[in-house]
Amino acid sequence: MNRLDPHPAGQPAAPVPLDPSTRKALRTLDRARPLGLARITGGFKGIAGHVDADTGLALKDQGLARLDYSGHYPRLKITRAGRSALKKGAPR
């Protein structure tokens, strides 16, 4: 089975400017470190807050977050690229 990637192998995806909802979701994921947000119906939820499914999966597709399947429920966790994108943006 071939994996379909939106960008060629070996080249990173083009950086996307962060809109306010994406920045808010990244801040929520950063506060939820190291546990992340557990998958629920319609999104991801944890002690730090809630991220809807569309925003969470968009972050995953951009490489700013990842899904961790090691526990009982899949968890959305911020990546190093997500933390650096959050730092590069406008002040909190």
Side-chain angles (χ1 to χ4, degrees):
M1 174 187 267
N2 291 337
R3 183 177 164 188
L4 300 176
D5 286 328
H7 51 84
Q11 295 181 5
V16 177
L18 299 177
D19 60 347
S21 64
T22 304
R23 183 169 305 285
K24 181 180 177 185
L26 279 175
R27 275 186 292 202
T28 302
L29 285 173
D30 193 38
R31 285 192 312 265
R33 284 180 41 211
L35 295 175
L37 303 176
R39 179 78 167 112
I40 61 168
T41 303
F44 300 91
K45 187 175 182 179
I47 196 163
H50 178 268
V51 173
D52 65 350
D54 294 334
T55 305
L57 295 178
L59 289 173
K60 184 186 80 67
D61 290 341
Q62 293 173 12
L64 302 175
R66 67 181 174 90
L67 284 174
D68 184 15
Y69 292 100
S70 64
H72 186 63
Y73 296 105
R75 293 186 167 271
L76 186 69
K77 296 184 176 184
I78 193 168
T79 61
R80 182 175 288 170
R83 290 193 307 267
S84 67
L86 192 60
K87 287 180 186 177
K88 289 180 185 177
R92 299 178 183 134

